[in-house]
Amino acid sequence: MSAVRTLLEADRRNGNSPGYWEGYRLGGCQAVLGQIPVGAPEVCNLRVMYVQQGFDAIDRGVISALEEVAAACIVTQAAEMLAQAAWVRPDLVLVMNGLHVFPPEHAAHIDELRAMGIRTAVWFVDDPYLSDDTVSLALHYDEVFTHELAGVTLYKEIGCRNVHYLPLAASTDLFRPQPVQPQYQYDICFIGNAFWNRVELFDSMASFLEGKRVLIAGGFWDRLSNMEKLASCVQHGWIDPEETVRYYNGAKIVINIHRPTQAGQDNRNSRNLAGRSINPRTYEISACGAFQITDIREDLTKYYRPGYDIETFSSKQELQDKITYYLEHEQERITMAWRSLWTTRKHHTFRDRISRLLAAAVPS
């Protein structure tokens, strides 16, 4: 990262200007990206049909990667999967998640594809929150991939023969550094639904957040008890991925809080499987060259180094102390964001994940 080190030695005569620091962050991001080699991928000789879930941030990354690393990529919707696969006869049908928008007869459709000799795979990316639903689907596939460590144990225990741990990644065409307008610029940003652990945390921080430029955006934030103090911070409703990217780029600090896993906490997880793996937001924030403070999941340190390319918290007080510190230390905050961008673009892309998936999904 020699170009970044050169930037660290640059003239800071206008260092108190917010516009200066934002330009400085973006300039460093471009220097980081310029040092990451982007070679031609190794192409796998497979024709893959991809069945979308409707998670645009994930679907876009997977489709882009398949177009790079597969011999052919045929994209379809859940309702058309069976008919299209019977006509196209791909080597592999890859289903994203198999939940929410998929028809009730989806498992039977997968059985029909296998009877035709078409290999099938699913990548579960909602584990462990909807494990009551995924266990009824998993046995129907040839290959089961999950982003969640706890899911690997679960699917093996119920009798799945081929189970793989495959962490998520960032769609780098979408989640990337970019300049943004003033309306996207905040001191502190959180985007996500109001699961109860998040509500409890922000309620308890209401007084601390007063006087800061804060965005809390997503669904169900009327659950807040301290709405009288936080109302000006809250933007209700869905934020689409393109807007999310702008807010991440405009924030000095982006907070990442994993959702709870307990049954009854907006989940269908009667086994109460603990969440052990990091969410896609971890990669997506970092891919924007944004500074992130996240709560801790077991596998976080496999992918990032706390205190080096990501920051963590384990209590309200620790989060507040780190917010205060990093709002006052621009250089440290931006340098950590650069390192996080480097780590993500070098190691945590969908090209990497899909290459690994295809290598595992079809025996040589």
Side-chain angles (χ1 to χ4, degrees), residues 318-331:
E318 184 179 12
L319 176 59
Q320 291 183 169
D321 289 347
K322 288 184 175 179
I323 287 172
T324 299
Y325 179 85
Y326 283 107
L327 286 177
E328 295 172 353
H329 292 78
E330 303 261 9
Q331 183 65 71

Side-chain angles (χ1 to χ4, degrees), residues 7-27 330-331 334 338:
L7 280 172
L8 291 174
E9 299 166 1
D11 178 19
R12 296 183 179 85
R13 285 175 296 178
N14 298 318
N16 292 323
S17 162
Y20 169 85
W21 284 109
E22 177 57 11
Y24 182 63
R25 180 189 75 89
L26 289 169
E330 303 261 9
Q331 183 65 71
I334 291 172
W338 287 340

Side-chain angles (χ1 to χ4, degrees), residues 158-277:
I158 66 170
C160 296
R161 296 182 59 186
N162 303 310
V163 182
H164 314 271
Y165 169 56
L166 186 68
L168 280 160
S171 174
T172 54
D173 291 339
L174 176 59
F175 292 94
R176 56 186 175 81
Q178 61 178 254
V180 297
Q181 298 300 313
Q183 65 265 32
Y184 296 104
Q185 295 173 0
Y186 288 86
D187 294 332
I188 301 159
C189 167
F190 176 82
I191 297 177
N193 287 330
F195 296 110
W196 287 107
N197 63 323
R198 298 168 177 175
V199 171
E200 180 182 2
L201 179 62
F202 281 110
D203 267 334
S204 70
M205 292 174 59
S207 296
F208 171 79
L209 295 174
E210 284 187 298
K212 299 177 177 65
R213 187 164 164 76
V214 178
L215 174 74
I216 303 169
F220 312 110
W221 284 103
D222 53 358
R223 292 175 171 180
L224 286 165
S225 299
N226 259 320
M227 185 60 80
E228 71 281 358
K229 290 185 177 180
L230 295 171
S232 63
C233 305
V234 176
Q235 181 173 327
H236 296 280
W238 168 251
I239 306 294
D240 69 34
E242 288 80 6
E243 286 284 283
T244 297
V245 170
R246 296 184 187 104
Y247 283 120
Y248 286 169
N249 272 275
K252 293 180 180 179
I253 295 172
V254 182
I255 299 174
N256 183 10
I257 310 165
H258 291 78
R259 62 188 280 187
T261 60
Q262 295 89 347
Q265 296 262 317
D266 301 299
N267 300 317
R268 290 176 49 79
N269 181 25
S270 61
R271 293 167 176 81
N272 280 312
L273 296 173
R276 299 168 57 192
S277 297

Side-chain angles (χ1 to χ4, degrees), residues 120-155:
T120 63
V122 64
W123 190 4
F124 290 128
V125 296
D126 266 338
D127 285 340
Y129 313 108
L130 300 173
S131 60
D132 293 349
D133 300 321
T134 58
V135 291
S136 65
L137 290 173
L139 284 165
H140 292 270
Y141 294 92
D142 294 298
E143 305 286 337
V144 174
F145 294 84
T146 174
H147 84 113
E148 170 57 56
L149 285 168
V152 174
T153 303
L154 171 65
Y155 300 126

Side-chain angles (χ1 to χ4, degrees), residues 66 107 168 245 288 341:
L66 283 170
L168 280 160
V245 170
C288 292
L341 174 63

